[in-house]
């Protein structure tokens, strides 16, 4: 079995390529980094490292690679012959790989027509559908109809923290021990291939996507914004403070009521999920910078995003939002001049005030919730690091 994977970054090497290899696929990476392409082809292997106490190294072999810039014809040929195609290039780069994918799929339509699934594993909702749309813009309607006859674009949800380090042998991916790869089986075209080892196949992806976004990603961002206000450099150091750890745990529990109400997932299951999240956040083998995690606050405060959605939905249901109101307020105080969105956010607040900034960026219409966020913003803004901890400890009383 042959798998073609676009993107030899940390997720590609330390997660997707690894599981494809474990399943028995010959993995060929497609990337633009010629040094990495040469290394894969010369050694037929690569190594990544687990962020565990032993710094466990894992070797993946056999692998090969192609450069999509200089070997387009070979990539097109590989698309026509592959049994499975996957990506981890970043959702913003899907439009860049769509041209060669469209050419390869049209070649496959002429020469092969064997069914194939194309899984875009990006940190975005319905990335495979996005990739399908990008391809559809490059071919005629009739050509896209022919592609749809043999190619499926199952959406996925992936979860594995990944970093990297530079060594004499090049960049090595560093990944946490935990991982989750959820695949929408109902959108698959080729069901004859063996299931990818350790992947979870489901009929409805939405509960898994929203659980990750509105609990895990929300909690990660909340820790970063509170950690920033507490003058902590990393997620791990922030959570060493009992008041912050307790606040983040209670915020996760608060947000979980939205998932329970929406999808019927039990409180017991969500509680176990939350405890697992906190253990991941507290992994002392990871140094997770609060500026990295908190970056792009405007996006994270938008209407359907991790902080705003659970807060406004729970408020409309009349359920507690005391912790989430503080988390949203903390995001408005995230001030990193090196972050373009943070700088724009602070400039808007400076010019228009927080009362206008909240509905402008979140589109929250619930005036009571807007007022609550605004009050928390002013309390946090005027609090020292020590006073901040007292505000966090009082959060539950306000519910």
């Amino acid at each position: 079995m042959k798998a073609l994977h676009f993107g030899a970054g940390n997720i590609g090497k330390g997660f997707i390529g690894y599981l494809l290899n474990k399943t028995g696929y010959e993995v060929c990476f497609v990337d633009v980094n010629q040094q990495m392409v040469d290394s894969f082809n010369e050694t037929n292997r690569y190594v990544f490292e687990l962020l565990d106490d032993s710094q466990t190294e894992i070797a993946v072999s056999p692998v090969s690679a192609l450069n999509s810039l200089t070997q387009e014809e070979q990539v097109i040929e590989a698309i026509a012959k592959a049994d499975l195609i996957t990506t981890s290039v970043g959702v913003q780069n899907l439009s860049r790989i769509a041209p060669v994918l469209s050419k390869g799929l049209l070649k496959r339509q002429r020469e092969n027509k064997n069914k194939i699934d194309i899984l875009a594993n990006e940190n975005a909702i319905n990335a495979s559908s996005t990739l399908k749309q990008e391809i559809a813009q490059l071919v005629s309607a009739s050509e896209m109809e022919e592609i749809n006859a043999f190619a499926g674009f199952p959406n996925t949800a992936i979860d594995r923290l990944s970093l990297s380090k530079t060594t004499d042998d090049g960049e090595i991916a560093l990944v946490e021990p935990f991982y989750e790869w959820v695949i929408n089986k109902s959108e698959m075209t080729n069901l004859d291939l063996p299931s990818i080892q350790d992947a979870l196949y489901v009929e409805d992806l939405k509960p898994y996507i929203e659980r990750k976004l509105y609990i895990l990603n929300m909690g990660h961002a909340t820790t970063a914004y509170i950690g920033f206000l507490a003058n902590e450099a990393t997620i791990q150091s922030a959570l060493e403070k009992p008041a912050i750890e307790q606040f983040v745990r209670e915020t996760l529990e608060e947000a979980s009521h939205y998932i329970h109400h929406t999808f019927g997932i039990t409180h017991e299951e969500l509680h176990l999920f939350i405890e697992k999240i906190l253990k991941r956040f507290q992994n002392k083998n990871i140094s997770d910078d609060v500026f990295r995690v908190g970056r792009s606050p405007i996006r994270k405060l938008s209407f359907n995003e991790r902080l705003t959605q659970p807060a406004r939905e729970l408020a409309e249901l009349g359920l507690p939002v005391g912790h989430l109101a503080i988390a949203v307020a903390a995001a408005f105080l995230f001030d990193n001049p090196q972050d373009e969105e943070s700088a724009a956010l602070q400039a808007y607040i400076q010019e228009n005030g927080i009362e206008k900034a909240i509905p402008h960026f979140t589109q929250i219409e619930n005036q009571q919730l807007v007022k609550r966020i605004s009050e928390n913003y002013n309390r946090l803004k005027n609090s020292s690091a020590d006073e901040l901890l007292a505000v966090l400890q009082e959060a539950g009383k306000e519910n």
Side-chain angles (χ1 to χ4, degrees):
M1 300 185 298
K2 295 181 178 180
L4 191 67
H5 180 79
F6 286 78
N10 300 326
I11 288 293
K13 291 184 291 186
F15 187 8
I16 307 302
Y18 167 59
L19 291 191
L20 292 176
N21 177 264
K22 283 181 67 175
T23 308
Y25 283 97
E26 296 177 34
V27 182
C28 177
F29 286 87
V30 180
D31 204 89
V32 296
N33 184 329
Q34 188 60 51
Q35 182 180 0
M36 191 174 294
V37 169
D38 291 340
S39 175
F40 282 15
N41 290 330
E42 288 168 6
T43 64
N44 209 219
R45 70 193 291 272
Y46 68 86
V47 173
F48 69 92
E49 189 176 299
L50 290 183
L51 291 163
D52 59 10
D53 292 339
S54 304
Q55 296 180 305
T56 305
E57 285 193 350
I58 297 176
V60 178
S61 179
V63 296
S64 59
L66 294 167
N67 188 318
S68 56
L69 295 179
T70 61
Q71 297 177 289
E72 183 177 282
E73 288 304 317
Q74 291 95 317
V75 174
I76 291 171
E77 183 68 24
I79 294 168
K81 293 182 177 179
D83 296 297
L84 181 70
I85 297 173
T86 55
T87 82
S88 60
V89 296
V91 68
Q92 71 279 5
N93 291 316
L94 291 177
S95 60
R96 296 183 180 182
I97 66 171
V100 72
L101 270 170
S102 63
K103 293 174 186 176
L105 291 172
L106 290 175
K107 181 179 177 66
R108 188 183 185 97
Q109 191 276 330
R110 294 190 300 269
E111 300 177 4
N112 187 342
K113 291 188 181 179
N114 286 344
K115 291 181 178 180
I116 189 166
D117 287 306
I118 303 162
L119 288 70
N121 304 287
E122 315 297 344
N123 191 21
I125 295 174
N126 295 333
S128 298
S129 296
T130 299
L131 178 56
K132 182 179 179 178
Q133 292 168 3
E134 294 287 350
I135 292 171
Q137 293 176 21
L138 300 172
V139 300
S140 68
S142 60
E143 287 173 333
M144 194 64 204
E145 187 176 347
E146 291 170 350
I147 289 172
N148 287 334
F150 65 85
F153 293 81
N155 287 295
T156 73
I158 59 166
D159 187 10
R160 188 173 212 179
L161 186 144
S162 64
L163 306 169
S164 66
K165 68 176 181 181
T166 302
T167 69
D168 293 340
D169 298 322
E171 273 202 357
I172 291 181
L174 309 174
V175 296
E176 66 174 328
F178 173 89
Y179 56 80
E180 185 175 67
W181 188 0
V182 188
I183 300 169
N184 191 334
K185 187 175 182 179
S186 67
E187 296 176 321
M188 292 180 65
T189 294
N190 187 0
L191 297 174
D192 295 330
L193 293 174
S195 297
I196 296 169
Q197 189 165 331
D198 296 336
L200 175 63
Y201 291 81
V202 300
E203 296 297 323
D204 183 8
L205 198 62
K206 192 173 183 181
Y208 297 89
I209 290 174
E210 295 209 0
R211 185 189 66 169
K212 177 178 182 286
L213 181 61
Y214 299 133
I215 300 182
L216 187 148
N217 294 141
M218 182 282 300
H220 211 197
T222 294
T223 309
Y225 297 136
I226 296 296
F228 167 77
L229 294 177
N231 297 319
E232 294 296 332
T234 68
I235 298 297
Q236 289 68 39
S237 66
L239 289 173
E240 287 177 358
K241 293 185 176 296
I244 295 179
E245 180 192 5
Q246 185 62 24
F247 174 80
V248 172
R249 175 180 275 106
E250 291 173 353
T251 307
L252 291 165
E253 294 282 359
E254 192 171 273
S256 75
H257 288 278
Y258 165 68
I259 300 299
H260 169 73
H261 177 84
T262 305
F263 300 108
I265 301 174
T266 67
H267 289 300
E268 291 77 13
E269 185 178 344
L270 290 167
H271 176 74
L272 291 173
F273 181 67
I274 287 166
E275 291 304 313
K276 186 184 295 183
I277 287 171
L278 285 168
K279 287 180 181 178
R280 293 172 63 191
F281 289 174
Q282 293 169 313
N283 185 341
K284 295 186 184 302
N285 299 296
I286 301 171
S287 182
D288 214 357
D289 189 280
V290 297
F291 288 114
R292 186 195 75 82
V293 179
R295 65 191 173 192
S296 306
I298 290 176
R299 174 172 60 84
K300 291 169 182 172
L301 283 165
S302 60
F303 187 70
N304 288 320
E305 260 287 347
R306 63 206 69 193
L307 293 165
T308 305
Q309 172 94 348
R312 63 180 180 79
E313 291 288 349
L314 288 170
E316 291 302 318
L317 291 167
L319 294 172
V321 292
H323 295 80
L324 285 163
I326 291 175
V328 173
F332 276 101
L333 285 161
F334 183 66
D335 189 358
N336 178 12
Q338 306 305 314
D339 183 320
E340 187 176 330
E341 285 196 14
S342 176
L345 180 66
Q346 297 309 313
Y348 186 95
I349 295 172
Q350 183 71 25
E351 183 174 346
N352 300 281
I354 188 62
E355 290 79 10
K356 290 185 178 179
I358 294 168
H360 175 78
F361 289 106
T362 67
Q363 299 177 46
I364 292 174
E365 296 179 351
N366 184 315
Q367 293 304 307
Q368 186 176 356
L369 179 57
V370 170
K371 181 182 177 183
R372 198 165 186 181
I373 294 168
S374 178
E375 289 172 348
N376 281 315
Y377 174 91
N378 290 317
R379 287 177 67 194
L380 294 174
K381 183 179 181 181
N382 297 317
S383 296
S384 66
D386 289 337
E387 291 169 338
L388 166 70
L389 301 182
V391 171
L392 300 182
Q393 289 171 330
E394 294 171 5
K397 299 176 185 177
E398 297 184 7
N399 280 327

